[in-house]
Amino acid sequence: MAHVVGDACVRCKFTDCVDVCPVDCFHEGPNILVIDPEECIDCGACIPECPVEAIFLDEDVPADQLVYIEINARLAKDYPVITGTKDAHPEVEQYRDVSGKQALI
């Protein structure tokens, strides 16, 4: 089992979750953070830290976001590891409450 970053993170990219992660499982792309399922130890520390509620246990990912399980696994191989807090995405206020953002990754 692992955790999955879902749709709410796209073009928001808050990094509060990164600071509480005891392992280096978060990877940063231009518009989203993803979790490497091979590195995630399933501790759950990241879930309450996400201000947009974008992180789920893989078995709890909403049905309309199941594609994010594959997206996280695939993109974690290409995106660099992020180990500290950074500013949120510059368009966070515009996209914070928008859903269906997969095409914006």
Side-chain angles (χ1 to χ4, degrees):
M1 290 222 235
H3 286 79
V4 175
V5 176
D7 193 68
C9 186
V10 177
R11 296 246 174 128
C12 287
K13 213 169 75 167
F14 289 101
T15 57
D16 307 61
C17 52
V18 175
D19 272 345
V20 299
C21 183
V23 296
D24 294 335
C25 70
F26 282 92
H27 293 251
E28 180 185 21
N31 294 322
I32 190 172
L33 299 178
V34 295
I35 294 174
D36 182 341
E38 300 297 320
E39 295 294 324
C40 180
I41 60 170
D42 196 29
C43 70
C46 55
I47 293 175
E49 298 303 315
C50 182
V52 291
E53 300 178 356
I55 304 172
F56 307 94
L57 183 60
D58 59 1
E59 62 188 31
D60 295 333
V61 174
D64 65 337
Q65 296 186 52
L66 288 173
V67 68
Y68 281 92
I69 296 172
E70 183 275 328
I71 289 171
N72 276 246
R74 178 173 41 87
L75 294 180
K77 294 175 183 174
D78 296 327
Y79 290 165
V81 171
I82 178 173
T83 58
T85 303
K86 293 183 177 181
D87 290 337
H89 194 282
E91 297 175 326
V92 65
E93 293 310 317
Q94 180 182 350
Y95 286 96
R96 184 180 194 134
D97 297 321
V98 174
S99 59
K101 300 183 281 186
Q102 180 184 346
L104 301 174
I105 294 174

